Amino acid sequence: EQVLNEKIKLGRYSAVIAVLTHDRLKNIYPDHSSFYLGEAYRLRGEKDDLQKAVAAYLDAEQKKPQFPPVHRALGIVYFKTQKNKKAKLHFEKYLRLAPQAEDKGFILHYINTIDKKGY
């Protein structure tokens, strides 16, 4: 897991995608590693990558629903695609699961923005 996170921080998105889409290699990582696949797709930003990112995040959410980062990621993607109701639900779940999150102020700002706009 830490290796995947480091590769993402270094911008090695294609390496993460290659490993986590390889039939044998992906099995050495935890079930929720599809979160990191989603991050790699989202940050790479090629054609159709946002849809691939959402699919990977939803897979991670299904496999480990109590994993806070997946709810943060889904909240951001939904916010950016103007699916405000879904965004707010995921942001709120993220804060319930990670009440001391370092980015709590940013997430609360997203929620306030959604509340001002309405759904």
Side-chain angles (χ1 to χ4, degrees), residues 33-113:
S33 62
S34 52
F35 162 76
Y36 298 100
L37 179 61
E39 288 290 272
Y41 280 130
R42 181 180 64 83
L43 294 168
R44 184 176 74 171
E46 292 181 5
K47 187 177 187 284
D48 299 325
D49 274 357
L50 190 58
Q51 292 85 357
K52 291 176 185 177
V54 170
Y57 292 143
L58 291 172
D59 182 63
E61 178 191 25
Q62 182 180 15
K63 291 175 179 171
K64 193 171 181 184
Q66 302 304 311
F67 185 60
V70 76
H71 296 289
R72 178 187 184 279
L74 282 166
I76 290 170
V77 169
Y78 288 140
F79 182 82
K80 289 184 176 185
T81 57
Q82 300 177 0
K83 296 177 181 166
N84 291 337
K85 188 173 183 177
K86 287 182 176 184
K88 185 176 178 180
L89 290 172
H90 284 285
F91 285 142
E92 290 173 341
K93 186 160 188 177
Y94 171 67
L95 292 178
R96 278 194 308 276
L97 295 171
Q100 303 303 319
E102 289 182 19
D103 60 350
K104 183 177 182 176
F106 290 110
I107 301 303
L108 290 172
H109 177 73
Y110 282 127
I111 292 170
N112 287 335
T113 301

